[in-house]
């Protein structure tokens, strides 16, 4: 009897935890939509609650205050990027040229760089200079991505006795990606064709740097 009751309580606890996590994910997605539409300046918990169609109290229960809510949205966005990247790179094989192609494809994947997400990335980057918590999280992500790119370019450059140039090539490639993201956001031209063009621009740069490994 007691054992059966404990099992039932455990099941109920798991159900509650799952419902709470699902609600949290719903609120984070609502936060993404609200930030994409309004930006970060002046956004309120009520704006996000309205987007999620819940009360202020529901968001306060899960995140306590606006600062924690916004930081959780940033973490959610970063986690999505990291998950897409990890999945893609896991199937990319060992060749550094192929892994670089995959990394570029991730940076222009709709799950990472569609218009709404790009607007949110830009909103947090714009505030990173003012808000230390945003700056730390954005810096961690960008430093990690840059180091991955540097490692792959270094491996490729070593094949061609160009190791001295590897860091510069990688940093230039990373800057091209950032520049295309910024241009697409500012101009509003960020549909599938624009993302494909962005990826092709990066591959074109690599074709000039490593013509034997990347077809022009």
């Amino acid at each position: 009897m007691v054992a059966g009751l404990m099992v039932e309580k455990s099941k109920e606890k798991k159900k509650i935890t799952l419902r709470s996590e699902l609600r949290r994910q719903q609120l984070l997605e609502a936060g993404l939509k609200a930030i994409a539409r309004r930006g970060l300046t002046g956004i309120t918990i009520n704006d996000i609650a309205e987007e999620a169609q819940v009360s202020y109290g529901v968001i306060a229960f899960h995140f306590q205050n606006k600062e924690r809510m916004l930081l959780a949205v940033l973490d959610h966005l970063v986690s999505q990027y990291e998950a897409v990247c990890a999945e893609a790179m896991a199937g990319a094989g060992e060749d550094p040229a192929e892994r670089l192609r995959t990394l570029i494809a991730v940076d222009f994947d709709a799950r990472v760089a569609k218009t709404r997400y790009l607007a949110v990335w830009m909103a947090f980057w714009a505030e990173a200079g003012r808000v230390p918590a945003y700056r730390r999280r954005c810096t961690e992500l960008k430093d990690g991505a840059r180091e991955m790119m540097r490692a792959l370019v270094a491996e490729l450059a070593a094949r061609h006795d160009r190791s001295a140039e590897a860091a510069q090539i990688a940093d230039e490639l990373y800057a091209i990606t950032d520049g295309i993201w910024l241009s697409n956001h500012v101009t509003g031209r960020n549909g599938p064709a624009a993302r494909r063009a962005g990826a092709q621009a990066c591959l074109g740069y690599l074709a000039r740097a490593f013509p034997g490994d990347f077809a022009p």
Side-chain angles (χ1 to χ4, degrees):
M1 177 75 75
V2 174
L5 186 58
M6 290 178 65
V7 169
E8 288 303 316
K9 285 184 176 180
S10 177
K11 288 181 179 179
E12 186 59 29
K13 185 176 181 180
K14 287 179 181 178
K15 287 180 182 177
I16 292 171
T17 300
L18 179 59
R19 284 198 297 268
S20 178
E21 182 56 31
L22 289 173
R23 172 64 82 181
R24 181 181 171 87
Q25 293 300 311
Q26 177 203 1
L27 296 177
L28 291 172
E29 286 298 320
L32 283 172
K33 292 177 183 178
I35 294 168
R37 199 166 13 248
R38 300 171 183 268
L40 286 172
T41 304
I43 196 170
T44 67
I45 288 292
N46 282 328
D47 293 328
I48 299 172
E50 181 180 346
E51 185 70 48
Q53 297 184 331
V54 299
S55 68
Y56 178 103
V58 171
I59 293 181
F61 173 78
H62 285 275
F63 300 102
Q64 286 75 59
N65 56 50
K66 184 178 81 169
E67 288 71 24
R68 289 188 179 185
M69 173 74 194
L70 295 180
L71 189 56
V73 171
L74 175 57
D75 284 338
H76 179 59
L77 191 62
V78 170
S79 295
Q80 286 183 326
Y81 172 84
E82 291 174 338
V84 172
C85 187
E87 178 186 358
M89 297 303 284
E94 298 299 322
D95 180 66
E98 182 58 31
R99 291 180 73 79
L100 274 171
R101 288 189 190 93
T102 301
L103 194 59
I104 289 167
V106 167
D107 279 338
F108 294 97
D109 190 302
R111 293 171 293 173
V112 169
K114 66 182 177 183
T115 299
R116 185 175 77 210
Y117 288 171
L118 205 58
V120 179
W121 283 117
M122 293 297 167
F124 279 109
W125 289 355
E127 291 294 306
R130 188 182 65 83
V131 183
Y134 300 166
R135 183 167 62 249
R136 282 193 299 271
R137 195 68 176 103
C138 290
T139 298
E140 287 172 3
L141 177 68
K142 293 185 76 63
D143 283 351
R146 185 181 289 109
E147 286 309 309
M148 183 186 298
M149 192 169 282
R150 281 183 172 180
L152 292 172
V153 171
E155 188 177 348
L156 194 56
R159 288 181 180 176
H160 304 287
D161 196 26
R162 298 181 62 189
S163 294
E165 305 168 67
Q168 180 178 343
I169 291 170
D171 287 350
E172 288 172 354
L173 177 60
Y174 193 80
I176 291 169
T177 303
D178 267 7
I180 293 169
W181 271 36
L182 177 60
S183 176
N184 287 358
H185 173 65
V186 169
T187 62
R189 294 191 288 269
N190 191 43
R195 290 195 297 272
R196 284 195 298 271
Q200 286 301 315
C202 293
L203 292 172
Y205 172 77
L206 284 171
R208 291 186 291 275
F210 303 107
D213 297 282
F214 294 88

